[in-house]
Amino acid sequence: MGSCEAEDDVTKTNCVELTSDLVPGFLDSIDTILCDCEGVIWKGSSSKHPVPGAIETLEKLRKTGKKIFFLTNTNTKSRKDILEELIRMGFQADESEEIGRASCRERV
């Protein structure tokens, strides 16, 4: 098992390489997944398409009971627009799972 230590005082932490035998315990320790959208689960600007494996990975995480939230910093699209894009690309999503500038403004 590899480990590492940050070299500067600001980020001085110990970390452990996440090997395949540690993944189940790591995933069990998480109940919520925050997914950035642009460049993480989808690529492209005018013609968006899912990153390979993103849809299947999120489906597997949902099946284990994880809550999924989609984050975006776009200020040109409504929550409904983002939701429609996610669904069009094949992601399972509902409006309560989208967190963006528009939804943050609604909550303030």
Side-chain angles (χ1 to χ4, degrees), residues 21 30 46 49 65 92 108:
D21 58 321
I30 297 171
S46 59
H49 56 278
Q92 176 187 337
V108 173

Side-chain angles (χ1 to χ4, degrees), residues 64-83:
T64 66
K66 309 300 182 204
K67 295 178 212 159
I68 308 289
F69 290 95
F70 300 95
L71 308 176
T72 177
N73 65 356
T74 185
N75 60 359
T76 60
K77 298 194 182 219
S78 69
R79 292 177 80 185
K80 182 181 177 194
D81 293 336
I82 299 293
L83 177 64

Side-chain angles (χ1 to χ4, degrees), residues 52-69:
I55 293 170
E56 298 81 5
T57 299
L58 292 178
E59 286 176 5
K60 286 179 184 179
L61 289 167
R62 279 186 195 280
K63 286 180 182 176
T64 66
K66 309 300 182 204
K67 295 178 212 159
I68 308 289
F69 290 95

Side-chain angles (χ1 to χ4, degrees), residues 18-46:
L18 188 59
T19 58
S20 59
D21 58 321
L22 295 176
V23 170
F26 174 71
L27 289 176
D28 287 345
S29 72
I30 297 171
D31 64 358
T32 303
I33 308 294
L34 304 175
C35 298
D36 187 18
C37 294
E38 294 89 0
V40 177
I41 65 167
W42 77 49
K43 288 190 177 196
S45 39
S46 59

